[in-house]
């Protein structure tokens, strides 16, 4: 039985988590950008330096969380796709897809929910579809 749909959904989920990883990298870039810090202070003089430092620290922590979670999701999705390829172990791949989708959506605080939906559908299809005899 061909598992083309599951593989395509897995690749779409990987691309989505790639975009989330790019967002995390951009947040880290913004955190370390001194010019941006000066510009924000000039535009909002009522914002205290402590408030700004708190926002920047939050961006850094959030950026790392998005980046690490997305990279792990991409790697595990790739492993699952290799497990699906050739109909080797679709049940294991489906379980990995479902775990990735749930944990990725929770840890990224909703940023990874769309790619997570694609991986969840792929995981359910891996578990539900029967293995055909060739």
């Amino acid at each position: 039985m061909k598992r083309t749909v599951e593989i395509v959904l897995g690749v779409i989920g990987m691309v989505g988590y790639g975009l989330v990883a790019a967002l995390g990298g951009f947040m880290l870039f913004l955190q370390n950008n001194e010019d941006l810090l000066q510009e924000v202070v000039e535009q909002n003089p009522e914002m205290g330096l402590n408030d700004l430092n708190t926002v920047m620290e939050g961006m850094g922590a959030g950026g790392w969380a998005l980046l690490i979670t997305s990279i792990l999701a991409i790697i595990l999705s790739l492993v699952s796709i290799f497990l699906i390829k050739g109909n080797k172990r679709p049940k294991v791949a489906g379980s990995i897809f479902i775990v990735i989708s749930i944990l990725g959506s929770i840890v990224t605080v909703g940023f990874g929910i769309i790619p997570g939906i694609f991986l969840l559908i792929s995981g359910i299809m891996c578990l539900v579809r029967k293995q055909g005899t060739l």
Side-chain angles (χ1 to χ4, degrees), residues 20-31:
V20 173
L23 176 66
F26 185 67
M27 287 174 68
L28 289 174
F29 169 74
L30 288 179
Q31 179 206 15

Side-chain angles (χ1 to χ4, degrees), residues 17 20 62 65-67 69-70 103-113:
Y17 274 115
V20 173
L66 290 176
L67 191 65
T69 303
S70 298
L103 290 179
S105 297
I106 291 171
V107 173
T108 61
V109 193
F111 285 106
I113 197 155

